[in-house]
Amino acid sequence: MRAVVVGGGIAGLGAAIGLRRAGWSVTVLEQAEEFGDVGAGISLWPNALRCLDELGLDLSEHLAAQDQGGLRDRRGRWVARWDAAGFRKVHGRPLVGIHRADLIAGLRDALPPESLRTGTKVTEVSEDGVVRFGGGEIRADLVVAADGIRSPIRQALFPHHPEPVHSGSVAFRGVTHHPGTGLSTTFAPGTEVGVLPLTGGDVYWFVSYVAGPGARPADLKAYLTEHFGDWHDPIPALIDGTPPEALLYHDLYHLATPLETYVRGRVVFLGDAAHAMPPFLGQGGCQALEDAVVLAHNLSTVDNPEAALAQYDAERRPRSQRVARASVRAGKAGQQLTNPVAVGIRTALLKALPAQVTARVGKDISGWRPPRLPRPAPPRTP
């Protein structure tokens, strides 16, 4: 059975790995000239770490376990401490940080080079599995649409489905070297600053605040210094230590209207192409990995591919759309809360939280366990 994966991000590469474990021949088509995602980090929750296990990936040298941290106000005072040891005990795994480039490289390197085609822009995909691109055509038994939030395949196969909408927020992101930094989230009215330590003393940080689309400052570094240079340590140092050319700025969009199905004929949708969500729960990449493992599992255990895809849709659509809705709610109660009185009430409630409660943060989402994937046969001995 032959599969074509359109898109070489977390969802696409994860799906390709899973499908190969399930015995499929896989070709990944990526329109960029090379695989990669530079300049930012990502948090991986226990549900995502279990998916990496099922995919057979050991990225431990790139994973930074978050062993301390909590919530702070803009002056640096602790609002709530995070019980990292309790979290690990409750969830069975830590919360970890990883540079996106390391995650993409790990996924890419788990695939044979002959399965990967870069610089290949797909121009047409049909429901019966025909994929056309500049200079060629592939007829596949399965097409995995993992082509992102603005998915051209979704636009073609769901022409009347509403486009992604602006979440009401924007975000700066950066990575810099700042050893000794701990995990923290700092809230102010309409604003959130996150700090996520990575391996080797590097730190991923982000600044998100309420703003409309198209509000990009002319000078990103100057804007950040002016508005966040007097916040608590290490925020000014992280901003100052990030080169201007390495700063990222994005309007935050999400797929506000859920897809009615994740399957169209032989085409199946994964990741942001299926359920793009705002980043307020840190679950976008985690849900993409869940998609990949569930798809591969169903195609390895259900004889009829059509029935396997229907089962994938029945399993993944309700869960991923529930997580997407929860991400929207988390933004409204967190970064997007602007009323000073409401912010004060939230702060008081957070201060009253017992440590054991913080250890259970996200348990209903990150407690998910993936199905098993086929294990490679052990090598024969002479």
Side-chain angles (χ1 to χ4, degrees), residues 209-269:
Y209 56 84
V210 173
R216 179 188 178 96
D219 187 325
L220 302 184
K221 187 74 169 279
Y223 181 91
L224 288 168
T225 301
E226 177 184 355
H227 289 86
F228 299 94
D230 62 347
W231 282 44
H232 67 79
D233 291 333
I235 293 172
L238 298 177
I239 294 171
D240 184 63
T242 306
E245 64 275 11
L247 286 171
L248 303 175
Y249 175 94
H250 291 97
D251 291 311
L252 300 181
Y253 283 83
H254 67 116
L255 203 61
T257 302
L259 275 179
E260 62 191 45
T261 177
Y262 289 175
V263 177
R264 272 283 192 264
R266 295 184 178 183
V267 181
V268 60
F269 291 82

Side-chain angles (χ1 to χ4, degrees), residues 9-330:
I10 296 172
L13 294 174
I17 296 168
L19 289 170
R20 279 181 51 82
R21 291 179 77 96
W24 285 63
S25 170
V26 182
T27 301
V28 179
L29 304 180
E30 166 58 42
Q31 68 175 349
E33 292 300 325
E34 60 183 31
F35 294 95
D37 194 346
V38 298
I42 183 174
S43 58
L44 293 179
W45 291 72
N47 52 319
L49 296 179
R50 296 185 190 103
C51 289
L52 292 178
D53 287 346
E54 286 304 316
L55 294 173
L57 269 69
D58 180 6
L59 302 181
S60 54
E61 65 177 304
H62 301 297
L63 300 178
Q66 307 303 306
D67 294 324
Q68 60 178 328
L71 302 176
R72 310 174 81 172
D73 66 19
R74 62 173 294 173
R75 293 170 59 185
R77 297 172 298 189
W78 289 103
V79 174
R81 293 278 189 170
W82 181 55
D83 183 0
F87 180 94
R88 190 187 294 248
K89 182 177 180 180
V90 169
H91 297 254
R93 297 290 182 87
L95 171 68
V96 306
I98 185 173
H99 198 293
R100 280 183 177 268
D102 290 331
L103 177 57
I104 293 294
L107 293 167
R108 177 201 63 208
D109 292 346
L111 294 164
E114 61 269 20
S115 293
L116 306 173
R117 296 190 190 180
T118 57
T120 305
K121 183 176 181 179
V122 172
T123 57
E124 184 181 351
V125 171
S126 66
E127 291 187 26
D128 60 357
V130 178
V131 180
R132 295 186 175 90
F133 49 90
E137 173 183 294
I138 300 176
R139 294 183 176 273
D141 299 289
L142 174 71
V143 179
V144 176
D147 51 344
I149 185 172
R150 301 284 181 185
S151 169
I153 302 176
R154 188 185 66 236
Q155 293 172 13
L157 299 187
F158 295 90
H160 302 296
H161 192 273
E163 285 296 291
V165 301
H166 195 268
S167 68
S169 297
V170 301
F172 294 83
R173 297 182 296 163
V175 173
T176 189
H177 192 67
H178 200 276
T181 302
L183 173 75
S184 70
T185 299
T186 302
F187 284 119
T191 305
E192 175 184 1
V193 179
V195 177
L196 181 72
L198 305 175
T199 54
D202 286 344
V203 178
Y204 163 57
W205 60 269
F206 67 86
V207 172
S208 181
Y209 56 84
V210 173
R216 179 188 178 96
D219 187 325
L220 302 184
K221 187 74 169 279
Y223 181 91
L224 288 168
T225 301
E226 177 184 355
H227 289 86
F228 299 94
D230 62 347
W231 282 44
H232 67 79
D233 291 333
I235 293 172
L238 298 177
I239 294 171
D240 184 63
T242 306
E245 64 275 11
L247 286 171
L248 303 175
Y249 175 94
H250 291 97
D251 291 311
L252 300 181
Y253 283 83
H254 67 116
L255 203 61
T257 302
L259 275 179
E260 62 191 45
T261 177
Y262 289 175
V263 177
R264 272 283 192 264
R266 295 184 178 183
V267 181
V268 60
F269 291 82
L270 275 72
D272 283 350
H275 46 68
M277 60 190 69
F280 303 121
L281 285 180
Q283 277 287 327
C286 302
Q287 292 302 302
L289 290 170
E290 287 189 16
D291 291 345
V293 172
V294 171
L295 176 66
H297 169 78
N298 289 345
L299 286 167
S300 68
T301 57
V302 179
D303 291 336
N304 182 340
E306 183 177 346
L309 294 183
Q311 185 171 317
Y312 164 84
D313 181 60
E315 293 178 18
R316 290 304 305 152
R317 187 158 46 87
R319 173 168 166 80
S320 59
Q321 291 177 355
R322 178 172 65 85
V323 174
R325 291 192 298 270
S327 297
V328 173
R329 291 194 300 271

